[in-house]
PDB file of all heavy atoms in Angstrom:
ATOM      1  N   SER Y 252       6.959  -0.875 -25.586  1.00  0.00           N
ATOM      2  CA  SER Y 252       5.600  -0.731 -25.968  1.00  0.00           C
ATOM      3  C   SER Y 252       4.968  -2.042 -26.248  1.00  0.00           C
ATOM      4  O   SER Y 252       5.417  -2.706 -27.165  1.00  0.00           O
ATOM      5  CB  SER Y 252       5.558   0.218 -27.261  1.00  0.00           C
ATOM      6  OG  SER Y 252       4.225   0.380 -27.599  1.00  0.00           O
ATOM      7  N   CYS Y 253       3.904  -2.513 -25.577  1.00  0.00           N
ATOM      8  CA  CYS Y 253       3.276  -3.659 -25.787  1.00  0.00           C
ATOM      9  C   CYS Y 253       4.200  -4.862 -25.907  1.00  0.00           C
ATOM     10  O   CYS Y 253       4.207  -5.477 -27.007  1.00  0.00           O
ATOM     11  CB  CYS Y 253       2.281  -3.542 -26.978  1.00  0.00           C
ATOM     12  SG  CYS Y 253       1.043  -2.332 -26.753  1.00  0.00           S
ATOM     13  N   CYS Y 254       4.933  -5.140 -25.025  1.00  0.00           N
ATOM     14  CA  CYS Y 254       5.815  -6.314 -24.910  1.00  0.00           C
ATOM     15  C   CYS Y 254       7.128  -6.154 -25.724  1.00  0.00           C
ATOM     16  O   CYS Y 254       7.978  -7.097 -25.676  1.00  0.00           O
ATOM     17  CB  CYS Y 254       5.144  -7.623 -25.283  1.00  0.00           C
ATOM     18  SG  CYS Y 254       3.812  -7.988 -24.264  1.00  0.00           S
ATOM     19  N   SER Y 255       7.126  -5.231 -26.636  1.00  0.00           N
ATOM     20  CA  SER Y 255       8.475  -5.287 -27.442  1.00  0.00           C
ATOM     21  C   SER Y 255       9.223  -3.948 -27.256  1.00  0.00           C
ATOM     22  O   SER Y 255       8.582  -2.891 -27.029  1.00  0.00           O
ATOM     23  CB  SER Y 255       8.157  -5.587 -28.896  1.00  0.00           C
ATOM     24  OG  SER Y 255       7.310  -4.543 -29.455  1.00  0.00           O
ATOM     25  N   THR Y 256      10.465  -3.951 -27.461  1.00  0.00           N
ATOM     26  CA  THR Y 256      11.298  -2.790 -27.326  1.00  0.00           C
ATOM     27  C   THR Y 256      11.397  -2.055 -28.573  1.00  0.00           C
ATOM     28  O   THR Y 256      11.660  -2.687 -29.625  1.00  0.00           O
ATOM     29  CB  THR Y 256      12.757  -3.272 -26.744  1.00  0.00           C
ATOM     30  OG1 THR Y 256      12.522  -4.087 -25.648  1.00  0.00           O
ATOM     31  CG2 THR Y 256      13.563  -2.132 -26.445  1.00  0.00           C
ATOM     32  N   CYS Y 257      11.241  -0.811 -28.507  1.00  0.00           N
ATOM     33  CA  CYS Y 257      11.431   0.058 -29.698  1.00  0.00           C
ATOM     34  C   CYS Y 257      12.846  -0.069 -30.246  1.00  0.00           C
ATOM     35  O   CYS Y 257      13.788   0.034 -29.489  1.00  0.00           O
ATOM     36  CB  CYS Y 257      11.150   1.587 -29.447  1.00  0.00           C
ATOM     37  SG  CYS Y 257       9.490   1.816 -29.017  1.00  0.00           S
ATOM     38  N   GLN Y 258      13.023  -0.231 -31.528  1.00  0.00           N
ATOM     39  CA  GLN Y 258      14.374  -0.393 -32.055  1.00  0.00           C
ATOM     40  C   GLN Y 258      14.847   0.809 -32.760  1.00  0.00           C
ATOM     41  O   GLN Y 258      16.121   0.991 -32.767  1.00  0.00           O
ATOM     42  CB  GLN Y 258      14.303  -1.598 -33.103  1.00  0.00           C
ATOM     43  CG  GLN Y 258      14.049  -2.949 -32.499  1.00  0.00           C
ATOM     44  CD  GLN Y 258      15.210  -3.413 -31.532  1.00  0.00           C
ATOM     45  OE1 GLN Y 258      16.386  -2.910 -31.582  1.00  0.00           O
ATOM     46  NE2 GLN Y 258      14.917  -4.283 -30.551  1.00  0.00           N
ATOM     47  N   GLY Y 259      14.084   1.694 -33.381  1.00  0.00           N
ATOM     48  CA  GLY Y 259      14.580   2.787 -34.103  1.00  0.00           C
ATOM     49  C   GLY Y 259      15.179   2.362 -35.414  1.00  0.00           C
ATOM     50  O   GLY Y 259      15.291   1.233 -35.708  1.00  0.00           O
ATOM     51  N   THR Y 260      15.556   3.336 -36.179  1.00  0.00           N
ATOM     52  CA  THR Y 260      15.935   3.011 -37.585  1.00  0.00           C
ATOM     53  C   THR Y 260      17.260   2.288 -37.598  1.00  0.00           C
ATOM     54  O   THR Y 260      17.453   1.348 -38.423  1.00  0.00           O
ATOM     55  CB  THR Y 260      16.152   4.392 -38.329  1.00  0.00           C
ATOM     56  OG1 THR Y 260      15.023   5.173 -38.096  1.00  0.00           O
ATOM     57  CG2 THR Y 260      16.239   4.146 -39.820  1.00  0.00           C
ATOM     58  N   THR Y 261      18.245   2.648 -36.724  1.00  0.00           N
ATOM     59  CA  THR Y 261      19.480   1.862 -36.692  1.00  0.00           C
ATOM     60  C   THR Y 261      19.616   1.199 -35.440  1.00  0.00           C
ATOM     61  O   THR Y 261      20.756   1.075 -34.816  1.00  0.00           O
ATOM     62  CB  THR Y 261      20.630   2.857 -36.987  1.00  0.00           C
ATOM     63  OG1 THR Y 261      20.663   3.951 -35.973  1.00  0.00           O
ATOM     64  CG2 THR Y 261      20.653   3.424 -38.293  1.00  0.00           C
ATOM     65  N   SER Y 262      18.480   0.808 -34.896  1.00  0.00           N
ATOM     66  CA  SER Y 262      18.621   0.005 -33.598  1.00  0.00           C
ATOM     67  C   SER Y 262      19.133   0.781 -32.420  1.00  0.00           C
ATOM     68  O   SER Y 262      19.786   0.237 -31.553  1.00  0.00           O
ATOM     69  CB  SER Y 262      19.379  -1.263 -33.857  1.00  0.00           C
ATOM     70  OG  SER Y 262      19.235  -2.015 -32.665  1.00  0.00           O
ATOM     71  N   SER Y 263      18.920   2.200 -32.473  1.00  0.00           N
ATOM     72  CA  SER Y 263      19.536   2.969 -31.387  1.00  0.00           C
ATOM     73  C   SER Y 263      18.549   3.825 -30.665  1.00  0.00           C
ATOM     74  O   SER Y 263      18.898   4.858 -30.249  1.00  0.00           O
ATOM     75  CB  SER Y 263      20.565   3.874 -32.062  1.00  0.00           C
ATOM     76  OG  SER Y 263      19.985   4.670 -33.048  1.00  0.00           O
ATOM     77  N   ALA Y 264      17.318   3.319 -30.592  1.00  0.00           N
ATOM     78  CA  ALA Y 264      16.287   4.097 -29.945  1.00  0.00           C
ATOM     79  C   ALA Y 264      16.756   4.468 -28.536  1.00  0.00           C
ATOM     80  O   ALA Y 264      17.279   3.751 -27.787  1.00  0.00           O
ATOM     81  CB  ALA Y 264      14.972   3.327 -29.953  1.00  0.00           C
ATOM     82  N   ALA Y 265      16.383   5.704 -28.153  1.00  0.00           N
ATOM     83  CA  ALA Y 265      16.561   6.125 -26.789  1.00  0.00           C
ATOM     84  C   ALA Y 265      17.976   6.301 -26.326  1.00  0.00           C
ATOM     85  O   ALA Y 265      18.395   5.695 -25.340  1.00  0.00           O
ATOM     86  CB  ALA Y 265      15.685   5.316 -25.817  1.00  0.00           C
ATOM     87  N   GLU Y 266      18.859   6.971 -27.089  1.00  0.00           N
ATOM     88  CA  GLU Y 266      20.079   7.457 -26.588  1.00  0.00           C
ATOM     89  C   GLU Y 266      19.811   8.750 -25.876  1.00  0.00           C
ATOM     90  O   GLU Y 266      20.307   9.818 -26.124  1.00  0.00           O
ATOM     91  CB  GLU Y 266      21.081   7.626 -27.779  1.00  0.00           C
ATOM     92  CG  GLU Y 266      21.741   6.370 -28.164  1.00  0.00           C
ATOM     93  CD  GLU Y 266      22.623   5.669 -27.231  1.00  0.00           C
ATOM     94  OE1 GLU Y 266      23.277   6.304 -26.351  1.00  0.00           O
ATOM     95  OE2 GLU Y 266      22.568   4.374 -27.199  1.00  0.00           O
ATOM     96  N   TRP Y 267      19.035   8.516 -24.881  1.00  0.00           N
ATOM     97  CA  TRP Y 267      18.437   9.575 -24.079  1.00  0.00           C
ATOM     98  C   TRP Y 267      19.444  10.438 -23.362  1.00  0.00           C
ATOM     99  O   TRP Y 267      19.237  11.571 -23.223  1.00  0.00           O
ATOM    100  CB  TRP Y 267      17.382   8.904 -23.078  1.00  0.00           C
ATOM    101  CG  TRP Y 267      16.743   9.751 -22.087  1.00  0.00           C
ATOM    102  CD1 TRP Y 267      15.799  10.694 -22.306  1.00  0.00           C
ATOM    103  CD2 TRP Y 267      16.871   9.688 -20.709  1.00  0.00           C
ATOM    104  NE1 TRP Y 267      15.348  11.268 -21.142  1.00  0.00           N
ATOM    105  CE2 TRP Y 267      15.992  10.657 -20.086  1.00  0.00           C
ATOM    106  CE3 TRP Y 267      17.638   8.789 -19.806  1.00  0.00           C
ATOM    107  CZ2 TRP Y 267      15.805  10.854 -18.715  1.00  0.00           C
ATOM    108  CZ3 TRP Y 267      17.409   9.034 -18.433  1.00  0.00           C
ATOM    109  CH2 TRP Y 267      16.520   9.977 -17.917  1.00  0.00           C
ATOM    110  N   GLY Y 268      20.523   9.809 -22.937  1.00  0.00           N
ATOM    111  CA  GLY Y 268      21.559  10.407 -22.094  1.00  0.00           C
ATOM    112  C   GLY Y 268      22.299  11.557 -22.966  1.00  0.00           C
ATOM    113  O   GLY Y 268      22.865  12.397 -22.443  1.00  0.00           O
ATOM    114  N   HIS Y 269      22.138  11.470 -24.313  1.00  0.00           N
ATOM    115  CA  HIS Y 269      22.792  12.497 -25.171  1.00  0.00           C
ATOM    116  C   HIS Y 269      21.799  13.376 -25.727  1.00  0.00           C
ATOM    117  O   HIS Y 269      22.074  13.965 -26.807  1.00  0.00           O
ATOM    118  CB  HIS Y 269      23.672  11.766 -26.181  1.00  0.00           C
ATOM    119  CG  HIS Y 269      24.736  10.926 -25.500  1.00  0.00           C
ATOM    120  ND1 HIS Y 269      25.738  11.472 -24.861  1.00  0.00           N
ATOM    121  CD2 HIS Y 269      24.706   9.514 -25.306  1.00  0.00           C
ATOM    122  CE1 HIS Y 269      26.507  10.430 -24.245  1.00  0.00           C
ATOM    123  NE2 HIS Y 269      25.799   9.317 -24.507  1.00  0.00           N
ATOM    124  N   THR Y 270      20.695  13.692 -25.000  1.00  0.00           N
ATOM    125  CA  THR Y 270      19.859  14.792 -25.497  1.00  0.00           C
ATOM    126  C   THR Y 270      20.316  15.995 -24.682  1.00  0.00           C
ATOM    127  O   THR Y 270      20.762  15.855 -23.517  1.00  0.00           O
ATOM    128  CB  THR Y 270      18.322  14.407 -25.117  1.00  0.00           C
ATOM    129  OG1 THR Y 270      18.258  14.046 -23.703  1.00  0.00           O
ATOM    130  CG2 THR Y 270      17.747  13.393 -25.911  1.00  0.00           C
TER     131      THR Y 270
END
Side-chain angles (χ1 to χ4, degrees):
S252 177
C253 298
C254 298
S255 61
T256 308
C257 293
Q258 292 295 338
T260 314
T261 56
S262 189
S263 60
E266 280 295 324
W267 176 65
H269 302 286
T270 52

